[in-house]
Amino acid sequence: MMEKVLEVSNLCKTYIVNKRQNNVLRNVNFSISEKEMVAVMGPSGSGKSTLLYTVSGMDRSTAGQVKFFGQNIDKLDSKEMAEIRLDMMGFIFQQMYMLKNLTVFDNMILPACQSKKNFSSKQEIVAFGQQLMRKLGIIDIADSDITEVSGGQLQRACIGRSMINHPKMIFADEPTGALNRSTSDEVMEELVKLNSEGTTIMLVTHDVKVAARCTRVLFIDDGCIKGEKFLGKCENVSLIQERERALSGWLMEMGW
Amino acid sequence: MYLQILKKDLKRKRTMNVILLLFIILATTFVSSSVNNIATVTNGLDHFMDEAGMSDFFAMTLNRAAEQDIQEVLDSSDAVESFGIEEFLIKESMSVSRQREEPGTDATIAIMACEDSQLNYYDVNDEVITSVEPGEAYVAIKWLEEFNYEIGDVVTINIGDKTREFTIAGGLKDVCLGSKMMNVVRFMVCRDDFNYFNSDEEIRQEYGGKMCYIFSGDDAAVTNLLSEAETGLLFSGSKDQVKVGYVMDMVISGTLLVISICLILIAFVVLRFTITFTLSEEYREIGVMKAIGIKERTIRGLYMVKYFALAVVGAAVGFLVSIPFGGMLLETVSSASMLGGGSSTLINLICSILVIVIIMMFCFGCTRQVQSFTPVEAIRSLTKGERFKKKGFMRLKKSSFKPRSFLALNDVTSSPRRFGLIVGVFALSLILLLVIDSTVATLSNSRLIKSFGFAESDVYMTYGDLLNNVSTGDGVETIEEYLSDVENEMAANNMPCECYCDLMLKLTIQNKEGNRAFKSVVYYGVNTTMDMYDYADGSAPSNPNEVAITPLVSETLGVYIGDKITIVHSFGEEEYTVTGYFQSMNNLGEGVRLHQTARVDPSQVAGYNAIQFKFTDNPSNQEIDSRIERMKEIFDNSKIRTGDDYVAEMVNVTGILSTVSRILLVVMVVIVVLVTTLMERSFSAKEIGEIAILKAIGFNNKTVINWHTRRFVIASVISVIVALALFYPVTIVSITPIFKMMGAFYGVNYVVRPLQTFVIYPLIMVAVTSAAAWGAALFTKTITPANATENE
Ligand SMILES: Nc1ncnc2c1ncn2[C@@H]1O[C@H](COP(=O)(O)OP(=O)(O)OP(=O)(O)O)[C@@H](O)[C@H]1O
Ligand SMILES: [Mg+2]
């Protein structure tokens, strides 16, 4: 039995806007084991992003429990939470949020410079950063301004940033949402590779092709998990189309 | 629709708008109150002169030095249209004791009878004083204030062997002798009380004198007339020279004006910044408005309405605040001895309206940008960020700073204009403070005594009877004897020292041709040597036939180094060779320095500086202070003080300037807090996305706040460096002309107080900036990592 990375029980999230309650998440229960790659799908406004932010400790839940490696992260204060995000988690967003005043490379190594846990010296950080960039195929743009590079390159840099501290788990909210098909494929390639190297991943997506490469898919609607589908490890690239077809069929059943 | 949008804007950007409003209020307050102050002091002075009936020329003579009666001299002259004379009794350092615990003072007091008044003298309520009750006295306000006298205090006046007590009935406003630069205090009593002293022939001869108010169209002729006659002239001057006596009041008001001009500049710079900043934030909104076809004029009008509303509210509040604030400033800063006249709320109102107009003009210019961009540009510019901005030269991978410091430094170097503005504003306010502080330090430093043309010493004692000893004695030897007695007494008390004293004579000096002449102060040192004085040019006189002169004398007589001048002594005319120039801030720069072996007639001595003590055993400052206490007992004289105190007393404006520097410190703190808060809040409003992403990737609140605080600390440290580099040259450029007006033609050596200048004020600056930036950065706590995906 694999170790549980994330255990979510009875998670609720309620926003109050103009004195009206909006129960975005209602009693969500699920768990993610080590080395899994879980996709979250669902209609727009169903609460996917909210779910991702709440389970990753970026936002506070209204009720329920989130355990990360057995630790109840709801009980942590903002400082301890920041530390966990820094050292154990990685984040990739739909829009490529980076600091305008830094180069692509500096943006990428920023978490490592802040943490100091994984590296003993600046040289080590720089060396690892360069290695990552080479791996992601963006070493050419290392010293560029973030406004001078393409969306795909930037998104790969974001993946690099999420990996810089050797996280236990990566959370991604529509990482390919702003990319075209071929760049989207390239980015997914990187994530699958990362997953096969042992990093647990949870990602939100609208894209069946993206979801088909994951090991499991959760379907969320109206704040509840309506179903889940095990796909297993995608070891054989030729099987992808078959997985896609199976997933599409299941999604139809779920009312996608 | 306008109102709707305005209301929303005011709500949404509350902090920014509130700070902007505060700036407008502050600017208006300072502008109107200090313009009003200037108007009051300049206009007020003319007004005061006219109301009081000040004459074109003023002369003061002493009976004991007079061979001719000034009345006869004036009567016989064609140049004099009319004149009035007040008789008075004067005594240098007359001792005035009062019936309270504090020690009495020994200012130079001129007693006169109310019935003799040639000018209008006013009480504190600006009513002309027409009579004084027997046993009562009205005394110059500057004196009452300086020595904390109150109405009802009883003072004892001792002249010769006559004594009488007077109850102070009130303050007296005196246009002629009222300025702080005039060292004579008018003491007005009734005729009977005056005659009690004046009827004594001996007293009248020794202490009596005449104040003459001369009306004449020809100042030069009067000057010549007075210099030729032997009337025992103590002081003479035209109306303009009397006005110059108020120079310090002007200087202080001027300082306030400079402060307020700086404040206006700061207010406008910040305003400009805010407008461009908010505009760029609303590019997309503007773009959408343009895209759906709203006219440029309408969009522009929208912003104009907003800033107009802010400007009107700010200026209105500022106007209301400026009235009491201006009054307060005028009270602390300007002389209460002036007639209140020029001040009017109309000036405040005009200034407030002017501030609104300037803000609107400015806003109009700024909003021109709206015209220049197309909807597409506007929409795109937001998504692309600040497109044309080039990032700084710093690289995290090469830097050894921690991220929070690196990010802060990188922000500063990436936005040089933005932070340059902050540095400029901070540096400016610090420079102002440092300039005033070093001016205060200079004006209360013993070294300045040299710029008065005197020698420096450790301790200064003013002693009332000295002058009588000289003038009644047989010669300068009397003083020499007295000084050596003092030296012996000091030595006997284990305080070995040298004693010396500078005498001042008022003598006619002429150029060689004899076609230019005037009465000037002539300095003669007892027990001093020529090397104890400063010379700006040439060399010290080396024999009794040589003199040094001030540039003013050189200019007036047209004599230069190597030329000869003639001094008219009671024993005859003597010719001297000019060997050098020196400067003196006495009598606005006039003066001749005689060699210590030159011959003078002691009966012509009109005054002396102080008895000076130079210790020969190099005591520490504390030791000097404790010696002063002992000396006070030994000589039974309370008027013994250090060089610093003596200079401060002579200059007489140090107290006011210290007040100004305290006001400036408060102004600096207020500016720093406001600018920091405004800037930090507006920056972080734009950086919500970045802050959120940093939090998402694991930066905690503390790091973020630290990063934001550090940017301002860096800016303030740079501003401190800039200010420290610039304040000294700025001081020289801005303050030297004032010293020149006072007679220091060659400028003075400025004193910098190292502790205040290099430690305290910079620390205050950095500490206040840190605190304000930290406080404002706390706002970033409310940004959560989840904000990262929200649009800005
Ligand atoms: N900060 C917030 N305050 C109030 N309501 C919010 C907030 N964030 C999200 N919501 C609401 O929560 C619901 C779910 O939003 P969420 O962003 O999780 O949807 P989503 O499934 O990610 O949609 P999409 O696929 O469009 O990204 C929406 O109805 C939204 O209005
Ligand atoms: Mg979403």
Side-chain angles (χ1 to χ4, degrees), chain A residues 43-214:
Chain A
S44 186
S46 55
K48 302 183 292 294
S49 300
T50 309
L51 178 68
L52 193 81
Y53 298 151
T54 334
V55 301
S56 61
M58 279 178 33
D59 214 349
R60 297 244 171 236
S61 60
T62 313
Q65 248 189 4
V66 179
K67 279 186 175 173
F68 186 70
F69 283 100
Q71 190 176 17
N72 200 333
I73 63 171
D74 274 311
K75 299 278 178 291
L76 299 178
D77 65 21
S78 71
K79 199 178 153 196
E80 293 165 314
M81 204 47 245
E83 218 166 285
I84 287 189
R85 281 200 301 272
L86 184 62
D87 294 325
M88 310 191 43
M89 298 176 175
F91 292 90
I92 305 164
F93 299 91
Q94 175 176 1
Q95 273 160 330
M96 306 85 183
Y97 275 102
M98 290 208 156
L99 302 197
K100 279 182 233 130
N101 283 343
L102 301 187
T103 61
V104 175
F105 188 78
D106 283 352
N107 260 298
M108 212 179 84
I109 61 171
L110 187 58
C113 295
Q114 174 68 10
S115 167
K116 304 162 296 206
K117 275 216 179 109
N118 297 295
F119 302 95
S120 56
S121 72
K122 188 54 118 333
Q123 285 93 319
E124 232 176 272
I125 295 176
V126 171
F128 183 61
Q130 277 163 347
Q131 186 192 327
L132 263 181
M133 282 205 127
R134 227 169 274 123
K135 199 165 130 194
L136 294 164
I138 47 172
I139 190 75
D140 310 337
I141 60 158
D143 284 324
S144 308
D145 203 300
I146 61 161
T147 53
E148 296 166 350
V149 300
S150 83
Q153 288 170 319
L154 212 50
Q155 192 63 308
R156 271 180 278 173
C158 285
I159 294 175
R161 183 177 66 189
S162 72
M163 290 160 65
I164 194 87
N165 272 340
H166 308 294
K168 292 280 190 300
M169 182 163 182
I170 286 178
F171 296 89
D173 191 358
E174 300 185 40
T176 59
L179 306 177
N180 65 14
R181 173 78 355 214
S182 66
T183 34
S184 159
D185 285 347
E186 285 169 32
V187 168
M188 271 322 282
E189 208 56 59
E190 297 301 338
L191 289 176
V192 171
K193 220 191 286 173
L194 199 59
N195 178 242
S196 64
E197 284 162 13
T199 311
T200 314
I201 294 176
M202 173 175 175
L203 62 83
V204 170
T205 183
H206 282 282
D207 190 336
V208 179
K209 276 185 102 143
V210 169
R213 310 200 58 164
C214 298

Side-chain angles (χ1 to χ4, degrees), chain B residues 427 430 434 715-725 761-763 765-766:
Chain B
L430 187 56
L434 293 180
S716 76
V717 168
I718 297 174
S719 76
V720 164
I721 294 168
V722 170
L724 290 181
Y761 292 140
L763 273 185
M765 167 68 97
V766 175

Side-chain angles (χ1 to χ4, degrees), chain B residues 575-592:
Chain B
E575 210 174 52
Y576 303 88
T577 309
V578 175
T579 59
Y581 299 136
F582 71 101
Q583 60 181 14
S584 167
M585 293 200 285
N586 275 326
N587 289 31
L588 302 167
E590 63 177 47
V592 176

Side-chain angles (χ1 to χ4, degrees), chain B residues 210-488:
Chain B
K210 286 176 175 148
M211 292 194 206
C212 312
Y213 303 93
I214 304 158
F215 291 90
S216 160
D218 189 350
D219 279 1
V222 177
T223 312
N224 266 337
L225 178 72
L226 291 174
S227 70
E228 278 159 20
E230 289 301 332
T231 54
L233 199 61
L234 181 68
F235 174 87
S236 67
S238 64
K239 202 175 187 172
D240 283 337
Q241 280 170 301
V242 172
K243 269 190 201 172
V244 175
Y246 289 89
V247 61
M248 269 301 150
D249 297 293
M250 311 280 200
V251 165
I252 288 151
S253 307
T255 316
L256 276 180
L257 190 75
V258 171
I259 297 171
S260 31
I261 288 172
C262 291
L263 268 180
I264 305 171
L265 282 180
I266 290 170
F268 288 147
V269 164
V270 171
L271 193 66
R272 206 196 106 92
F273 170 82
T274 326
I275 293 172
T276 29
F277 206 83
T278 39
L279 267 179
S280 70
E281 217 173 302
E282 279 157 38
Y283 271 6
R284 188 152 68 170
E285 243 169 67
I286 295 168
V288 172
M289 283 196 269
K290 276 194 159 189
I292 61 173
I294 296 176
K295 280 199 214 92
E296 265 151 25
R297 270 190 30 213
T298 316
I299 299 172
R300 209 168 166 180
L302 215 65
Y303 288 94
M304 297 292 280
V305 166
K306 171 185 163 183
Y307 288 107
F308 184 68
L310 281 176
V312 168
V313 174
V317 177
F319 167 71
L320 292 178
V321 177
S322 74
I323 297 169
F325 183 73
M328 196 189 77
L329 281 187
L330 202 63
E331 221 166 83
T332 47
V333 145
S334 177
S335 58
S337 39
M338 294 245 309
L339 208 55
S343 163
S344 81
T345 45
L346 188 68
I347 295 176
N348 295 42
L349 191 65
I350 292 171
C351 287
S352 309
I353 292 171
L354 202 72
V355 170
I356 298 179
V357 170
I358 295 175
I359 290 175
M360 290 325 287
M361 269 165 45
F362 200 69
C363 185
F364 194 75
C366 274
T367 50
R368 244 202 322 252
Q369 293 176 37
V370 175
Q371 259 167 335
S372 66
F373 52 68
T374 67
V376 179
E377 265 180 326
I379 292 166
R380 228 191 251 143
S381 67
L382 186 85
T383 53
K384 276 252 184 178
E386 288 163 317
R387 269 181 304 170
F388 305 108
K389 212 184 68 192
K390 210 69 200 128
K391 67 185 177 312
F393 51 84
M394 297 191 51
R395 297 288 176 267
L396 178 59
K397 63 178 177 189
K398 290 186 194 129
S399 116
S400 51
F401 289 108
K402 285 187 178 161
R404 52 171 191 253
S405 302
F406 174 81
L407 287 174
L409 259 173
N410 189 48
D411 281 351
V412 174
T413 52
S414 303
S415 317
R417 273 182 62 180
R418 198 186 275 183
F419 284 93
L421 179 80
I422 298 172
V423 168
V425 168
F426 286 6
L428 189 65
S429 46
L430 187 56
I431 287 173
L432 275 178
L433 182 62
L434 293 180
V435 166
I436 295 297
D437 190 75
S438 71
T439 309
V440 172
T442 306
L443 288 176
S444 47
N445 188 291
S446 163
R447 248 159 62 182
L448 195 70
I449 197 82
K450 291 219 163 185
S451 299
F452 281 90
F454 297 126
E456 217 184 324
S457 65
D458 295 322
V459 175
Y460 297 75
M461 172 166 91
T462 29
Y463 177 49
D465 282 341
L466 178 71
L467 213 54
N468 297 326
N469 287 341
V470 184
S471 40
T472 53
D474 310 312
V476 186
E477 294 76 28
T478 331
I479 294 189
E480 280 171 3
E481 273 164 31
Y482 172 78
L483 291 179
S484 70
D485 284 352
V486 171
E487 272 177 20
N488 290 339

